[in-house]
Amino acid sequence: MKLNYKRTFFVGLAFMSICAFWQVYDNAVSLILKNTFHVRDSYIGIVLALDNILALFMLPLFGNLSDKTRTKIGRRMPYILGGTAMALVCIVLMPLAERLHNIVLFFVGLGLVLIAMATYRSPAVALMPDVTPKPLRSQGNAVINLMGAVGGMVMLVAMNIFPITGDNPHYGTIFFIEGFIMAVCVALLFWQINEPELVAERERIEAENGITDEEAGVVDAGGKMPRDVFRSLIFILASVFFWYFGYNAVTSSFSRYAEQELGGNFALVLLICTVAAIVSYLPVGFIAERIGRKKTILIGILMLASAFCAGIFFHSVSPLLYIFFALAGMGWAFINVNSYPMVVELSKGSDVGKYTGYYYTVSMASQIFTPVLSNILMEYIGYRTLFPYATFFVLLSFVTMLLVKHGDAKPVAKRGLEALDVDD
């Protein structure tokens, strides 16, 4: 049983388009609010949390709806196509509103785009486990996260070429590039991926290898989740909550933090972090296969916490800061590649969308509160609170992750020539 990397690459294009959007959202929207509309930092934190409040309700809703959807093009594809089309239509309103200095139009465009993105995020992410056998999902998620990181990196490169800081920010150009990337990614996905056919193939492979929900231990004889498995699910979700509490505080505020405290190019620092994550994603999938998802995540938490702790001591952009942000990118790769597969490992095949919704409900709930709380601290105590705050919550996730007992994929016994590692 081997991962089809080419197929997974095309599946990952949906997540690539999503991450391209969020890179622009986290950085451009924050700067537009501060520099064009002169919104206070604490209020910017509230605005940055609005997408997460919306997602808190919409992601599980559309994940569950897509589980129950049956069309000729699959369960997930209608939401991916429809949500992307709606986002592309609405996204032009934000740079137009910035140019006109019309804050009402800006928030109308922002709200419509956030609704559009929320309708298809869970279905887009659930597509990977739908077409990937359970033992291969960490490797599959590594490819998906690699594609997402590439989407974010492309937008960071674009923001280096067309800066969104200074006297002449290129907001319109950046939003155009983002929309173009989203359109191309989803068009290629639809062209290359036959969702119903690939889901049937995945079910056949799992049946041939004796992989069933009851065999995997996610349901008992009565079809219910055992209590010890449920406890592990709760601790996994708690860990997701805490590490996002720390990580999102940094990513959502770093453009302003760098401008205020470091006096350097925030986009280059984040680009280095993203490149380090990209380089790490595929090896991390293989590391998890060797030592397990839980141990890999724990290593990643320590790497991320170390990087954020080091950030406390920097007062300018320097080569050493780039090194620590590269470490943060690697740590995030160790965490992110394995956390989502651990959650869906505990789901039934028919409930992948629902469990994807659980995962994103928790991560979004975390990201509702952390921009508000971290920005209040930054405004009333000082910007230097950002990295101690992030370090504390990342380390808290280490404690909850230690209590997780389930979610690592069970190895599938090799048979015949495969046992000798002989290729077809």
Side-chain angles (χ1 to χ4, degrees):
M1 189 186 302
K2 294 181 180 180
L3 183 69
N4 186 321
Y5 281 94
K6 180 180 177 182
R7 176 194 302 165
T8 311
F9 163 82
F10 284 109
V11 170
L13 287 170
F15 195 59
M16 180 177 173
S17 74
I18 291 169
C19 290
F21 171 82
W22 291 116
Q23 189 67 257
V24 174
Y25 178 80
D26 281 343
N27 293 299
V29 170
S30 178
L31 290 172
I32 289 171
L33 290 171
K34 185 174 181 65
N35 297 330
T36 300
F37 298 120
H38 309 294
V39 177
R40 291 168 57 181
D41 285 318
S42 55
Y43 293 151
I44 291 174
I46 294 172
V47 173
L48 293 177
L50 290 177
D51 68 303
N52 301 313
I53 296 172
L54 187 66
L56 187 63
F57 302 101
M58 293 190 69
L59 294 188
L61 170 64
F62 281 93
N64 200 25
L65 282 175
S66 66
D67 279 340
K68 299 173 182 178
T69 298
R70 297 293 182 271
T71 72
K72 291 182 179 180
I73 60 173
R75 294 191 294 177
R76 319 298 182 188
M77 202 65 74
Y79 297 91
I80 296 172
L81 296 177
T84 302
M86 180 180 171
L88 291 174
V89 170
C90 300
I91 208 169
V92 297
L93 295 177
M94 287 190 286
L96 175 63
E98 190 277 333
R99 182 177 289 270
L100 297 174
H101 285 72
N102 188 329
I103 194 169
V104 174
L105 180 61
F106 180 81
F107 276 109
V108 169
L110 181 63
L112 292 173
V113 170
L114 292 179
I115 290 171
M117 298 299 295
T119 61
Y120 82 93
R121 183 166 182 171
S122 286
V125 175
L127 185 59
M128 184 278 290
D130 274 352
V131 302
T132 307
K134 282 194 172 189
L136 303 178
R137 286 177 181 171
S138 277
Q139 294 179 39
N141 203 42
V143 176
I144 299 302
N145 278 277
L146 173 62
M147 298 298 294
V150 169
M153 184 184 70
V154 169
M155 294 315 304
L156 286 172
V157 170
M159 284 185 277
N160 267 289
I161 299 172
F162 303 101
I164 57 174
T165 56
D167 296 331
N168 186 30
H170 296 80
Y171 295 122
T173 304
I174 291 301
F175 278 102
F176 173 80
I177 294 171
E178 173 200 331
F180 178 77
I181 289 171
M182 290 174 66
V184 171
C185 284
V186 174
L188 285 172
L189 169 70
F190 183 64
W191 176 41
Q192 289 290 323
I193 298 299
N194 184 324
E195 182 189 333
E197 181 180 294
L198 297 182
V199 169
E201 180 182 323
R202 187 265 303 168
E203 291 172 345
R204 176 182 57 78
I205 291 172
E206 289 190 342
E208 289 176 353
N209 287 275
I211 302 171
T212 64
D213 295 329
E214 189 169 341
E215 178 68 23
V218 301
V219 295
D220 57 23
K224 297 182 178 180
M225 177 177 284
R227 184 170 295 182
D228 59 331
V229 178
F230 179 73
R231 281 198 299 267
S232 285
L233 175 64
I234 295 301
F235 284 124
I236 293 171
L237 294 176
S239 301
V240 171
F241 182 88
F242 289 132
W243 65 54
Y244 267 103
F245 218 86
Y247 183 77
N248 183 256
V250 174
T251 58
S252 64
S253 301
F254 189 71
S255 59
R256 286 174 292 125
Y257 181 91
E259 187 177 61
Q260 182 79 18
E261 297 291 333
L262 301 178
N265 188 337
F266 80 91
L268 182 58
V269 177
L270 293 180
L271 178 61
I272 289 172
C273 178
T274 303
V275 170
I278 289 172
V279 172
S280 304
Y281 278 133
L282 293 183
V284 166
F286 291 105
I287 291 171
E289 187 179 13
R290 293 264 184 164
I291 69 173
R293 293 168 180 161
K294 176 181 173 179
K295 290 180 181 178
T296 306
I297 289 174
L298 290 172
I299 293 170
I301 291 172
L302 293 178
M303 294 167 69
L304 186 63
S306 298
F308 284 168
C309 184
I312 297 170
F313 304 101
F314 285 92
H315 298 272
S316 63
V317 174
S318 68
L320 192 57
L321 179 66
Y322 294 144
I323 292 173
F324 278 110
F325 263 76
L327 180 65
M330 293 173 62
W332 190 244
F334 273 64
I335 294 168
N336 222 21
V337 163
N338 295 289
S339 55
Y340 172 66
M342 287 192 80
V343 172
V344 295
E345 188 76 21
L346 304 181
S347 70
K348 295 184 291 185
S350 59
D351 289 339
V352 168
K354 182 169 71 175
Y355 278 69
T356 301
Y358 291 160
Y359 177 87
Y360 279 108
T361 296
V362 169
S363 65
M364 291 300 165
S366 176
Q367 293 172 82
I368 288 171
F369 297 110
T370 198
V372 177
L373 180 56
S374 63
N375 276 273
I376 288 173
L377 292 174
M378 288 165 63
E379 180 173 345
Y380 291 102
I381 299 178
Y383 275 64
R384 305 298 300 183
T385 58
L386 179 62
F387 282 107
Y389 173 98
T391 303
F392 172 78
F393 284 105
V394 171
L395 287 175
L396 197 55
S397 73
F398 185 88
V399 177
T400 52
M401 197 65 206
L402 285 173
L403 301 174
V404 173
K405 304 299 181 184
H406 301 82
D408 272 312
K410 294 185 178 181
V412 177
K414 296 182 178 181
R415 295 174 295 184
L417 292 177
E418 189 182 7
L420 302 175
D421 200 27
V422 177
D423 291 334
D424 293 335

